[in-house]
Each structure stands twice: as C-alpha cells, then as structure tokens.
Amino acid sequence: MSAIDQYLDSQAARFEEELCEFLRIPSISADPGHRSDMHRAAEWVADQFRHMRLAAEVIPTAGHPLVYAESPAVSGAPTALVYGHYDVQPPDPLEKWITPPFEPSRRDGNLYARGAMDNKGQMFTHLKSVEAWITVEGRLPLNLKFIIEGEEEVGSQ
C-alpha cells in the first residue's frame, strides 16, 4: 500500500465526519431562504483549501458565491482545472426521504444525504486527495486550479 493510500485509510473516519459536516449545510441554490447557507457552504469549501495552504478566495457574484483556489506553483508542471459545485437541489418531496435530507445517515455501508453524490461528495474526494498528496509528499506534482460554484443547480449564469 502506498503512503498516500495509508494516509487516506488512516484519515477515513475524520474525512467522513467532515463530509457529514458539509452535507448538513442546506445549500439549496434555488431557494432564496437559503442564501446564508449558500455563503456558509462557500466559506466551508474555501476553508478546506486554506487548511491545505492553497490560495483560496470566495468571489461574490450576482447570485451565489464562487470559490476559487489554486495550489502553489510547480515550475514546468502541467496545470489542471478541477470544477465542482456546492449547491444542491431542493429535497422535495420530503416524504420520499427515509431520514432527514440534511442529516447524513449511514445505511448498508452507504452515506445518505442531499448532495452526497451530486456534487458535494464527489467534490470532497478531490479536496481530500489533494490533502493526502500534500501531507504525504509535501507538495503536488502539478499545478491545480479549482472553481467550485454555487449555481450549477440553477443554470450557472
């Protein structure tokens, strides 16, 4: 097992708890009543980048904030752009949910919550992969730029 795999394995419980924290934020972009949750989710994502010592900023838009982050420059290395979004669809109809949509639950080895797959969970794997690489190797082997938006579910103006 590689050192990165060992790190990921050793941090799995922490990662799951952090993902649950993120999933508890009801970042419903289509609902104006969740505007403050949208800002909270954007700051949560930006803080994840800052914790890894990536340059990160929350950029105001006419709608919901955009999170931009980039890794320290690696001279001569390629640059990759990673895209994701922190907004989710409304959880309606609520009666179809077995458990509350913004309270993650574990069933049959799976984690269930609104956004767990689209796109908070997937985007979270990118964040934690970067964390693992930086922690184990000291730096990334390429330049990464991230754009994490809050309007994918409402048309991405």
Side-chain angles (χ1 to χ4, degrees), residues 99-127:
T99 55
F102 295 104
E103 184 50 49
S105 64
R106 293 162 186 87
R107 296 191 307 272
D108 302 320
N110 297 310
L111 187 63
Y112 292 86
R114 174 56 90 206
M117 292 296 296
D118 180 17
N119 178 255
K120 289 179 175 181
Q122 179 181 344
M123 187 263 296
F124 187 80
T125 64
H126 298 151
L127 295 176

Side-chain angles (χ1 to χ4, degrees), residues 4-20 106 111 124 128 131-132:
I4 291 175
D5 289 332
Q6 288 175 354
Y7 178 82
L8 292 169
D9 189 55
S10 73
Q11 299 300 309
R14 176 177 64 88
F15 290 169
E16 187 172 322
E17 286 308 312
E18 288 177 5
L19 175 58
C20 287
R106 293 162 186 87
L111 187 63
F124 187 80
K128 295 307 168 181
E131 177 186 316

Side-chain angles (χ1 to χ4, degrees), residues 24-82:
R24 287 185 185 103
I25 302 171
S27 50
I28 306 167
S29 55
D31 184 343
H34 286 278
R35 188 160 186 81
S36 65
D37 294 318
M38 295 299 294
H39 287 271
R40 188 163 53 111
E43 287 295 340
W44 191 95
V45 172
D47 285 345
Q48 289 288 310
F49 289 122
R50 292 175 187 127
H51 175 75
M52 295 182 284
R53 293 186 172 85
L54 272 66
E57 61 183 305
V58 176
I59 302 169
T61 70
H64 300 298
L66 174 75
V67 180
Y68 176 79
E70 62 182 62
S71 63
V74 179
S75 181
T79 299
L81 175 66
V82 179

